[in-house]
């Protein structure tokens, strides 16, 4: 299969030296890319800014903002059979991006006006056709309900939910504890290395592809 994977955070600039972002290290998405390439799939990895080496036999496309990531996903979507969105796309970006470093005056507070970034999965949903789309849900509460809502609203074939407050799960760590939902079932996996989580997700993807 030709698999498009996203990983890492996006960065939304405030000025030339500051940005809004999140804690994603890219480890989950890079583990998926490495595992998929090792299975012989052709893999394109759209990566936000991370400190990880490129996985072997994977084409890496580097992006910074959510708008960049959307453009890269759109560009590579046409030729792929499946998309796995493991990236933690920032949901908000500053309304104004200062051209020069914002200087401090005597003020003790500052109001920052933010606007929504594009929702990549919702934007590309009309292009889905027969392609398989897998999303992630990073939650701190109501994990099951939120995952099922995102599965439905983002028109996904599978969603991988992680409680990012659980020990050993979510951002930055080497392991994850996930539940994989489709429209009819849920599979709860124990805590395991992100590479093993990736293998489970790919097993599910390949099974859906063969069905
Ligand atoms: O990178 P690591 O440190 O290894 O951490 C892994 C992880 C916690 C980042 C990963 O396992 C994970 O949960 N990734 C998804 C994080 C996220 O943005 O979740 P969400 O619930 O906010 O978004 C739901 C889905 O919509 C995701 O597939 C996301 O990629 C996608 N999305 C989100 C926002 C947006 N503007 N466009 C999107 O397409």
């Amino acid at each position: 299969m030709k698999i498009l994977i996203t990983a890492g955070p996006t960065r939304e600039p405030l000025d030339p030296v500051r940005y809004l972002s999140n804690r994603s290290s890219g480890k989950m998405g890079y583990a998926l890319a490495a595992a998929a390439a090792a299975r012989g799939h052709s893999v394109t990895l759209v990566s936000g800014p991370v400190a990880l080496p490129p996985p072997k036999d994977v084409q890496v496309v580097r992006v910074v903002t959510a708008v960049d990531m959307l453009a890269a996903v759109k560009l590579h979507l046409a030729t792929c059979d499946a998309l796995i969105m493991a990236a933690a796309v920032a949901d908000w970006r500053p309304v104004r991006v200062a051209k020069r470093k914002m200087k401090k005056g005597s003020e003790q507070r500052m109001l920052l006006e933010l606007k929504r970034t594009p929702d990549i999965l919702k934007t590309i949903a009309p292009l889905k056709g027969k392609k398989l789309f897998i999303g992630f849900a990073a939650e701190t509460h109501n994990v099951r309900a939120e995952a099922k809502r995102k599965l439905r609203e983002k028109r996904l074939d599978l969603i991988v939910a992680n409680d990012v407050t659980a020990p050993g799960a979510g951002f930055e760590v080497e392991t994850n504890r996930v539940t994989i939902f489709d429209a009819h079932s849920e599979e709860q996996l124990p805590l395991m290395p992100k590479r093993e989580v990736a293998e489970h997700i790919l097993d599910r993807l390949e099974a859906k592809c063969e069905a």
Side-chain angles (χ1 to χ4, degrees):
M1 293 169 84
K2 288 190 177 161
I3 308 181
L4 180 60
I5 298 172
T6 66
T10 65
R11 283 183 186 169
E12 310 302 327
L14 271 162
D15 71 9
V17 300
R18 304 180 180 94
Y19 54 81
L20 298 177
S21 193
N22 60 62
R23 289 173 45 209
S24 173
S25 64
K27 286 176 186 170
M28 190 65 249
Y30 275 59
L32 278 158
R39 290 180 181 216
H41 298 296
S42 161
V43 181
T44 301
L45 176 63
V46 175
S47 174
V50 299
L52 299 173
K56 194 168 170 281
D57 300 326
V58 169
Q59 183 199 0
V60 180
V61 178
R62 296 193 187 278
V63 298
V64 176
T65 66
V67 168
D68 296 342
M69 188 171 277
L70 171 61
V73 167
K74 271 184 174 168
L75 186 68
H76 294 277
L77 191 66
T79 53
C80 79
D81 305 303
L83 166 71
I84 308 178
M85 282 287 300
V89 186
D91 289 315
W92 301 94
R93 61 180 161 146
V95 169
R96 282 170 293 279
V97 182
K99 287 207 168 58
R100 300 164 68 188
K101 183 180 176 187
M102 294 188 301
K103 288 293 183 188
K104 294 188 290 289
S106 57
E107 68 279 9
Q108 296 299 312
R109 292 181 179 208
M110 184 177 70
L111 283 178
L112 208 53
E113 199 183 349
L114 304 178
K115 60 181 172 183
R116 290 293 292 268
T117 57
D119 187 305
I120 297 174
L121 281 170
K122 282 188 182 168
T123 308
I124 60 170
L127 308 173
K128 186 173 184 306
K130 290 196 163 53
K131 298 177 200 302
L132 294 166
F133 282 5
I134 300 182
F136 273 72
E139 307 298 341
T140 57
H141 55 286
N142 294 341
V143 178
R144 189 167 184 275
E146 282 301 300
K148 293 188 93 157
R149 180 180 65 77
K150 288 175 184 175
L151 178 77
R152 206 174 48 247
E153 288 184 359
K154 299 193 182 217
R155 295 190 47 204
L156 300 170
D157 297 284
L158 292 174
I159 194 158
V160 182
N162 35 199
D163 178 345
V164 293
T165 62
F171 296 112
E172 296 162 333
V173 290
E174 303 297 330
T175 52
N176 208 354
R177 185 196 300 272
V178 304
T179 306
I180 306 176
F181 295 86
D182 69 10
H184 313 291
S185 71
E186 64 184 81
E187 180 188 10
Q188 204 173 349
L189 299 177
L191 187 69
M192 61 179 73
K194 283 181 175 169
R195 176 63 182 248
E196 275 179 47
V197 174
E199 301 289 358
H200 276 274
I201 295 168
L202 292 170
D203 286 347
R204 294 289 300 269
L205 174 64
E206 288 169 0
K208 286 239 176 245
C209 182
E210 282 157 18

